[in-house]
Amino acid sequence: MPSAIDLAQGDPHLIAAIRRSRRLLGRKALMAAAVGAVPLPGLDWAADAALLARVVPQISTEFGLSVTQVERMAPNERETIRKAAATVGALLVGRLVTRELLVTLARHAGVKLTASQAAKFVPIAGQVVSATLSYAALRSLGELHIKDCVRVAHSVRHQLPPPEAPQAVARPAPPSRLASAWNRLRLR
């Protein structure tokens, strides 16, 4: 099965979006692993669903295919994106992540998530196995979504939005002389 990079067919904008999405996905998968290590059955299911509901729209945004981005397009472009998503079989491209869609995705990773729950009952080693399976489940579902986004964007020759530049951190203004004097008096 081809990777997302292979599907991009050398398009530098798609490859950059894939890399940004994978970095984001890696951070969220590590969060899922951390929650998966907690020995409370069911907690990781809820955390995985919440993390998946957050990461899918963020990945879609990297490719210019989030719900808000698709809705801002002209009606003919919007329809073209939706048809391409249906043709590719992309469940989440340009759609809101609902409970029904999360259940559909959970079916794809059902064996991993069920094994993760069963592993919770084995001390220490079970937590390690559960964390690993939570990481793998979220990572594989996210990777599937990245591939879907690449296929849709590539099939319609979709113009990706420019990557957002990191925002500069605003430094607080230095305190005035009056404020500095007041602070010195207060500390004494």
Side-chain angles (χ1 to χ4, degrees), residues 56-151:
V56 165
Q58 291 172 337
I59 290 171
S60 295
T61 300
E62 289 294 332
F63 291 92
L65 297 170
S66 71
V67 175
T68 55
Q69 290 167 322
V70 170
E71 290 301 319
R72 279 187 263 157
M73 293 178 183
N76 60 342
E77 291 176 340
R78 192 177 324 142
E79 191 60 32
T80 304
I81 296 286
R82 289 192 177 132
K83 284 180 182 176
T87 302
V88 169
L91 289 174
L92 300 172
V93 173
R95 295 176 62 186
L96 283 173
V97 179
T98 62
R99 179 177 289 145
E100 291 79 22
L101 287 174
L102 286 175
V103 168
T104 303
L105 285 176
R107 286 187 197 135
H108 288 288
V111 173
K112 290 178 187 172
L113 294 174
T114 303
S116 174
Q117 291 302 307
K120 295 264 188 196
F121 296 106
V122 178
I124 300 174
Q127 277 71 42
V128 172
V129 169
S130 179
T132 304
L133 289 173
S134 289
Y135 177 87
L138 191 67
R139 189 77 189 207
S140 67
L141 290 173
E143 192 64 34
L144 283 174
H145 183 61
I146 290 171
K147 288 179 184 180
D148 286 346
C149 287
V150 169
R151 284 187 187 111

Side-chain angles (χ1 to χ4, degrees), residues 152-173:
V152 170
H154 191 50
S155 70
V156 297
R157 306 284 183 235
H158 180 58
Q159 292 294 325
L160 297 179
E164 293 183 17
Q167 300 201 1
V169 177
R171 293 184 182 171

